[in-house]
Amino acid sequence: MKFAYRFSNLLGAVYRQGNLNFSKDGNAVISPVGNRVSVFDLKNNTSETLPISTTKNITCVGVSPDGSLAIVVDEDGAALLVSLITRAVLHHFHFHKPVSSVRFSPDGRKFVVTKENVALMYHAPGKQREFNAFVLDKSYYGPYDETTCIDWTDDSKCFAVGSKDMSTWVFGAERWANLIYYSLGGHKDVIVGCFFEQDSLDLYTVSQDGALCVWESDTELDGLVLKTSVGEAKPPRQEADDEDEERVGGEEGEVIRGKAEAPKDKNKVKNVRYKQSSKHFFNKEGEFNNLTAAAYHRPTHILVTGFASGVFHLHELPEFNLIHSLSISDQRIASVAVNSSGDWIAFGCSRMGQLLVWEWQSESYVFKQQGHFNNMASLAYSPDGQYVATGGVDGKVKVWNTNSGLCFVTFTEHTSSVTNVTFTSSGFVILSASLDGTVRAFDLHRYRNFRTFTSPRPAQFSSLAVDVSGELVSAGAQDSFEIFLWSMQTGRLLEVLGGHEGPVSSLCFSPVQSILASASWDRTIRLWDMLDSWQVKETLPLISDGLCVTYRPDGQELAVATLNGEICFWNPQTAAQTGSIAGRHDLEAGRKETDKITAKQSAKGKSFTALCYSADGESILAGGHSKFVCIYNVAEQMLTKKFEISCNLSFDGMEEFLDRRKMTEFGSLALVDEGAGDGDGVDISLPGVRRGDMSSRHFKPEIRVSSLRFSPTGRSWAATTTEGLLVYSLDGSLVFDPYDLDLDVTPGSIRKQLRLQEWASAIVLAFRLNENALKQEVLETVPHEQIPVVCGSLPEIYVEKLLGFVATCLENSSHLQFYMTWAQNLLMLHGQKLKNRSASILPTLQSLQKSIQRHFDNLAKLCDFNMYNIRYAVALSKQKGVKRPAQEQEEREEEMSEEMSEASIEESEMML
């Protein structure tokens, strides 16, 4: 089995913090999710997470005007230059201080970064290779407090910077004689956004208290005069703004000495002047609502503002006409972006993890996604591997499509944490257990909760299992130490299994027999026979508390994770232990910032909490209270590969050693209430909180893996972590992996066999060379009518390889009938031999089933749509023939009524 698994997608989290951006064509949203960046394609309804990650959570993203580059900056000021075309990191840079915003100029030649009270202008990286991609051009000082936002004029001549000191500054990007800097006041709160009007120096500024100022300039953009005569020589790297006498030079920064008014006119050049033409207020009288985000679309003159209460407004400027107002959430809107055409508006709510794209003209959602509010607790793959169901601490059950990476249904019936989710063997029913004392069954056809299983006395269910037939549902309680069994058909409680002396931590049904294995904190594994009046068939003693139990796919082995960090393997038939793996050293737990003991000591209390066998049963996947996921070889009982699921230092428990510089005589600086002034809250989680903090404070979550599952196709595995649902898959591109290679196996010899119409030998040679493009070329050259003959003459060893290749081709090929014919003939002619090796080829068959099912779903929808359209057309044509006499009848009736009304008028006149 191959282990070249690579991070492929992040599900379950769509937005955390930072600013949203649209792609150049306006069809995709670029959203920062923790320390990664996700791209949501709104036209094709797919999501993709870029294979890049920063060391802390991302705070701002700047995208170049041509859409090819992005600058990603994290909380510490570490920046990555990323190519959005190749998805590769091109350059690393560190600004050494937190950065509030990044903006490229519209011509793509410069970009401005604001950090603290400085605006730094850099030369944008070009298409040629450079030793240093970030070259500092100018530094602009002026604001007294942190800078918050940036906006450029359309021709990249000037830019404006908003600040927390309630002022807005306009700076010249070049050495203009009549505009070096200009300071604008007029606000009573932090500036949230500043926007230039189209092809003009006129400016709009928006502040947090809901005030909008409209500023008019007395000069057009063409009226800016370039400074020709530069005074005495300046030292290199000195700021462009020090041309003005009111500035003080110096490497540490230049400060305007208390003069917020415009610079004096010099050399007969009249300086640019601004005047406030009007001021508008968003808040009605008696209502106060903080304005938190703003965006402006210049061609349509539309201003979008988001508020702390989850309301957003659309106004037309400069008249300030309200077009539209809507509440999209009950939480603060953290970021707003408008696409290039101005039709779609993206909103990000960081506390809820929501990302919405709203089409304001039709007043409808283009895209609406939300992750779990807190940590995910468990996940389950559907039998065909197309869907993943997740249960969260917020009580929601969400179902994700693995192809698109998006959630398509959310069930909110549970009133407390969901502890476990699983699919039945049919794949159309999801079962979930919760701490609210219910097990619920959800139907994926009609999207409803059709069964609710409860216990006679209220119990908190911590584990769940369903048998192969889908008829028996079992759940283990953590407070009453009992296991409850229900019938799926009737919903009735069949039996309560007692015997455990501690909370039941995990349940698993055997894939081949009606036997239920239960692990408990009482240091035993019990095997219950479902056919023989639910009696205990076997009790397996453990040396420590059992945390997780799972069967091998063939049912011949049982793996148990225990509290002492070991994984034990048992033979369920003989009740004998066959082996064990000591995995505590592989977990490598980190030290939390509030820990009084070292990581080495705290690792003694760490253990695996999630286990899952691979589809072939040769290896086992294990994860727990650490940032590592381990794959072990079961037969050799050794570590095969270790995956680090996150390198995000914004999580707790990531580093083995704490930074000594943060340790003082009074304790760790991590315990100091840092952001109380800004209203961001404390950095400490509540004592004893393991599953996420439900309070509204800001805290550092601990990195951990709560659940793991291999995909039934064997091509990928998924883990629910603090970061979200991470999917790792085999990256099969550009891998040369020949099989039984010889000197005469070349592309030339393969094509020669094709010309000679030796189809079977050409296929064998192509599979020996094992190049995907060549294999596809050979298969598609074989005539349709020759497929049964070729399938019959293939050597047995290549049948399985060809079946696997057909399954992957079928997933994205348009030659549907052709590849279906291959699959059908291979299964018909070699079915008996394949059945004997069914355990080893199960992933291949499931991959084939997944591809066929996907095509079936798509075609079924299309055929239904066409069928209804044809029926409608036929019904319409029949009605057209019927309609004429009905119309004539109506006309006659109208004539009659007219005649009668005329007669009645005449009669009334006669009477008068």
Side-chain angles (χ1 to χ4, degrees):
M1 185 176 176
K2 297 192 183 82
F3 296 105
Y5 289 99
R6 280 182 160 185
F7 172 77
S8 69
N9 210 348
L10 170 66
L11 282 66
V14 287
Y15 173 76
R16 287 273 162 79
Q17 63 178 41
N19 61 313
L20 298 169
N21 286 277
F22 274 97
S23 59
K24 187 191 175 188
D25 58 4
N27 293 337
V29 178
I30 298 161
S31 167
V33 186
N35 69 331
R36 299 183 188 272
V37 177
S38 290
V39 180
F40 298 96
D41 188 335
L42 306 175
K43 279 280 165 78
N44 302 318
N45 208 36
T46 57
S47 80
E48 177 195 8
T49 305
L50 305 187
I52 60 153
S53 58
T54 55
T55 50
K56 287 268 183 93
N57 285 338
I58 293 166
T59 53
C60 52
V61 179
V63 180
S64 64
D66 61 358
S68 60
L69 292 174
I71 294 171
V72 177
V73 191
D74 71 10
E75 288 169 345
D76 285 348
L80 299 177
L81 178 67
V82 180
S83 165
L84 293 177
I85 298 164
T86 61
R87 312 299 203 225
V89 176
L90 305 178
H91 185 65
H92 291 260
F93 190 78
H94 211 299
F95 291 109
H96 301 295
K97 289 282 165 60
V99 170
S100 58
S101 53
V102 179
R103 277 295 285 275
F104 276 89
S105 63
D107 62 5
R109 295 171 62 186
K110 303 276 176 72
F111 67 89
V112 171
V113 173
T114 58
K115 64 170 189 179
E116 291 184 323
N117 62 338
V118 189
L120 304 169
M121 187 163 73
Y122 287 84
H123 289 289
K127 294 206 166 34
Q128 72 279 8
R129 286 191 170 186
E130 294 154 319
F131 175 68
N132 180 14
F134 288 12
V135 180
L136 182 65
D137 185 21
K138 300 182 180 76
S139 303
Y140 297 92
Y141 291 83
Y144 292 100
D145 204 344
E146 283 179 40
T147 43
T148 54
C149 53
I150 310 166
D151 194 46
W152 284 85
T153 53
D154 282 333
D155 57 1
S156 309
K157 287 183 177 178
C158 304
F159 65 91
V161 174
S163 167
K164 282 188 179 177
D165 68 358
M166 304 175 278
S167 65
T168 308
W169 294 76
V170 182
F171 292 115
E174 303 291 333
R175 291 171 176 254
W176 306 118
N178 54 344
L179 179 59
I180 297 162
Y181 67 89
Y182 200 98
S183 169
L184 303 166
H187 284 285
K188 296 178 181 176
D189 209 339
V190 175
I191 306 292
V192 174
C194 50
F195 311 104
F196 280 106
E197 188 51 271
Q198 192 171 16
D199 300 323
S200 166
L201 276 172
D202 295 352
L203 193 66
Y204 303 109
T205 56
V206 184
S207 65
Q208 191 174 294
D209 60 354
L212 166 77
C213 287
V214 182
W215 304 91
E216 274 184 21
S217 164
D218 62 354
T219 313
E220 290 300 312
L221 282 168
D222 305 338
L224 293 173
V225 183
L226 202 61
K227 191 181 281 282
T228 49
S229 59
V230 180
E232 69 224 34
K234 307 279 179 206
R237 280 275 179 255
Q238 196 153 347
E239 286 70 23
D241 313 326
D242 60 3
E243 304 285 324
D244 200 86
E245 61 194 13
E246 289 142 343
R247 292 185 168 269
V248 177
E251 276 301 314
E252 69 278 350
E254 294 174 275
V255 184
I256 299 172
R257 294 212 175 272
K259 298 210 175 181
E261 69 265 13
K264 298 182 182 72
D265 298 342
K266 282 192 285 187
N267 304 334
K268 299 177 184 175
V269 178
K270 188 173 180 295
N271 278 336
V272 174
R273 303 268 172 187
Y274 276 95
K275 68 170 185 182
Q276 184 178 317
S277 64
S278 59
K279 189 170 184 179
H280 307 282
F281 296 94
F282 291 93
N283 291 323
K284 300 186 192 77
E285 205 174 333
E287 166 192 328
F288 186 77
N289 197 352
N290 264 355
L291 191 148
T292 53
Y296 181 61
H297 188 248
R298 286 178 197 162
T300 54
H301 306 289
I302 284 176
L303 175 72
V304 188
T305 47
F307 292 85
S309 62
V311 175
F312 76 89
H313 295 324
L314 259 71
H315 284 88
E316 191 177 12
L317 296 182
E319 292 83 20
F320 198 66
N321 298 329
L322 180 65
I323 300 171
H324 190 60
S325 177
L326 189 78
S327 174
I328 52 166
S329 170
D330 55 354
Q331 297 289 342
R332 171 178 174 269
I333 295 174
S335 179
V336 175
V338 187
N339 77 340
S340 50
S341 64
D343 298 331
W344 293 348
I345 304 163
F347 298 98
C349 301
S350 56
R351 192 163 285 163
M352 298 291 286
Q354 267 181 327
L355 178 61
L356 312 161
V357 179
W358 176 259
E359 186 170 37
W360 64 273
Q361 283 163 327
S362 65
E363 299 191 11
S364 60
Y365 286 112
V366 177
F367 182 85
K368 189 179 183 183
Q369 288 282 304
Q370 181 182 350
H372 286 283
F373 175 62
N374 249 320
N375 296 354
M376 291 183 188
S378 64
L379 88 147
Y381 266 102
S382 64
D384 59 358
Q386 266 198 311
Y387 306 125
V388 174
T390 57
V393 178
D394 56 0
K396 289 178 183 170
V397 175
K398 287 178 176 280
V399 190
W400 308 81
N401 187 320
T402 53
N403 296 317
S404 69
L406 300 176
C407 170
F408 63 91
V409 62
T410 303
F411 299 109
T412 57
E413 277 79 5
H414 283 295
T415 55
S416 185
S417 283
V418 175
T419 52
N420 222 312
V421 289
T422 184
F423 275 88
T424 58
S425 52
S426 67
F428 297 117
V429 175
I430 297 171
L431 287 147
S432 62
S434 168
L435 296 180
D436 64 4
T438 61
V439 172
R440 294 177 186 268
F442 302 100
D443 178 7
L444 278 188
H445 283 307
R446 295 185 184 85
Y447 301 141
R448 64 195 177 103
N449 172 208
F450 70 94
R451 282 267 185 282
T452 303
F453 308 102
T454 55
S455 54
R457 288 188 306 280
Q460 292 190 315
F461 297 122
S462 58
S463 50
L464 177 72
V466 62
D467 77 333
V468 187
S469 65
E471 172 54 30
L472 282 175
V473 179
S474 68
Q478 65 179 24
D479 43 7
S480 64
F481 314 158
E482 291 167 330
I483 300 165
F484 298 88
L485 275 173
W486 297 274
S487 162
M488 177 69 92
Q489 291 289 329
T490 61
R492 288 175 59 188
L493 182 68
L494 299 175
E495 188 68 35
V496 179
L497 309 178
H500 277 299
E501 295 165 14
V504 179
S505 55
S506 181
L507 295 173
C508 187
F509 271 100
S510 165
V512 289
Q513 293 171 291
S514 280
I515 290 175
L516 175 69
S518 63
S520 169
W521 293 8
D522 64 2
R523 302 189 177 191
T524 60
I525 297 285
R526 288 174 186 256
L527 303 179
W528 311 80
D529 196 334
M530 296 291 110
L531 300 176
D532 186 15
S533 64
W534 299 297
Q535 290 181 355
V536 178
K537 186 184 169 197
E538 208 73 61
T539 303
L540 313 178
L542 301 172
I543 54 170
S544 186
D545 299 11
L547 300 179
C548 182
V549 63
T550 183
Y551 267 99
R552 201 166 69 185
D554 62 357
Q556 301 305 307
E557 192 174 66
L558 200 64
V560 187
T562 54
L563 191 63
N564 60 353
E566 285 190 6
I567 303 171
C568 311
F569 300 98
W570 296 79
N571 184 329
Q573 267 70 40
T574 60
Q577 187 171 342
T578 56
S580 73
I581 296 170
R584 182 159 282 168
H585 296 295
D586 303 323
L587 268 169
E588 285 187 41
R591 182 176 178 181
K592 290 173 70 176
E593 289 190 340
T594 52
D595 278 354
K596 302 283 190 223
I597 54 172
T598 61
K600 198 172 179 183
Q601 286 295 324
S602 67
K604 292 177 181 175
K606 298 285 191 282
S607 52
F608 291 116
T609 54
L611 293 178
C612 179
Y613 272 100
S614 61
D616 56 5
E618 287 178 12
S619 35
I620 194 163
L621 200 61
H625 292 272
S626 104
K627 61 179 177 178
F628 290 105
V629 168
C630 307
I631 293 187
Y632 292 99
N633 185 308
V634 177
E636 301 290 334
Q637 294 179 9
M638 59 184 283
L639 181 70
T640 316
K641 186 146 188 190
K642 194 154 75 165
F643 297 93
E644 187 177 4
I645 54 164
S646 179
C647 59
N648 188 358
L649 297 180
S650 296
F651 290 129
D652 215 352
M654 286 293 295
E655 294 175 290
E656 194 176 345
F657 300 104
L658 292 184
D659 191 346
R660 289 277 176 200
R661 288 169 296 184
K662 288 185 179 174
M663 301 301 281
T664 65
E665 56 184 309
F666 306 108
S668 172
L669 283 177
L671 296 168
V672 178
D673 181 356
E674 282 178 1
D678 294 342
D680 286 346
V682 199
D683 255 334
I684 319 159
S685 59
L686 289 170
V689 171
R690 285 272 174 96
R691 293 173 179 265
D693 202 328
M694 297 299 277
S695 71
S696 58
R697 301 168 310 109
H698 175 67
F699 71 103
K700 237 181 162 179
E702 187 186 354
I703 188 77
R704 62 199 290 265
V705 178
S706 53
S707 182
L708 288 166
R709 284 289 179 275
F710 253 107
S711 163
T713 60
R715 300 285 302 168
S716 61
W717 57 268
T720 53
T721 68
T722 317
E723 207 168 14
L725 175 61
L726 300 173
V727 181
Y728 283 76
S729 57
L730 285 173
D731 190 34
S733 59
L734 301 171
V735 178
F736 180 60
D737 183 17
Y739 174 79
D740 195 16
L741 195 60
D742 211 335
L743 280 173
D744 55 348
V745 181
T746 61
S749 63
I750 293 168
R751 291 192 177 99
K752 187 182 174 186
Q753 293 289 338
L754 286 177
R755 284 195 294 275
L756 294 170
Q757 298 191 353
E758 295 285 341
W759 314 119
S761 62
I763 287 173
V764 169
L765 289 174
F767 273 87
R768 282 172 68 182
L769 195 61
N770 210 6
E771 272 196 2
N772 282 350
L774 200 60
K775 289 191 282 187
Q776 194 167 344
E777 183 189 329
V778 170
L779 275 194
E780 290 178 5
T781 313
V782 177
H784 185 259
E785 63 278 356
Q786 289 288 320
I787 292 174
V789 183
V790 175
C791 287
S793 58
L794 269 179
E796 196 180 316
I797 195 163
Y798 291 100
V799 171
E800 194 183 317
K801 290 179 178 295
L802 181 55
L803 195 62
F805 183 68
V806 166
T808 52
C809 283
L810 197 58
E811 204 161 323
N812 36 29
S813 173
S814 54
H815 307 301
L816 195 56
Q817 189 190 353
F818 182 75
Y819 282 111
M820 292 281 274
T821 312
W822 274 107
Q824 187 184 6
N825 283 293
L826 285 169
L827 292 170
M828 290 289 283
L829 295 166
H830 301 276
Q832 196 54 47
K833 289 171 184 170
L834 290 171
K835 195 175 179 183
N836 296 337
R837 295 203 314 279
S838 60
S840 60
I841 66 154
L842 188 65
T844 308
L845 292 174
Q846 281 174 328
S847 176
L848 186 67
Q849 183 194 357
K850 177 184 172 183
S851 305
I852 294 169
Q853 185 67 39
R854 193 162 134 234
H855 282 297
F856 174 76
D857 291 345
N858 293 344
L859 281 173
K861 283 177 191 169
L862 190 65
C863 293
D864 285 349
F865 181 71
N866 290 343
M867 201 166 69
Y868 296 141
N869 272 351
I870 292 164
R871 278 188 197 167
Y872 176 67
V874 170
L876 209 62
S877 66
K878 284 179 183 173
Q879 270 201 347
K880 275 184 180 172
V882 175
K883 217 167 187 179
R884 284 189 194 106
Q887 274 181 342
E888 286 167 16
Q889 197 175 339
E890 282 174 14
E891 283 167 11
R892 278 195 207 122
E893 283 174 2
E894 279 175 16
E895 283 170 13
M896 290 274 288
S897 63
E898 279 173 16
E899 283 170 11
M900 285 179 72
S901 63
E902 281 171 12
S904 63
I905 289 164
E906 282 172 9
E907 279 175 14
S908 60
E909 281 174 355
M910 288 277 287
M911 285 183 70
L912 284 164

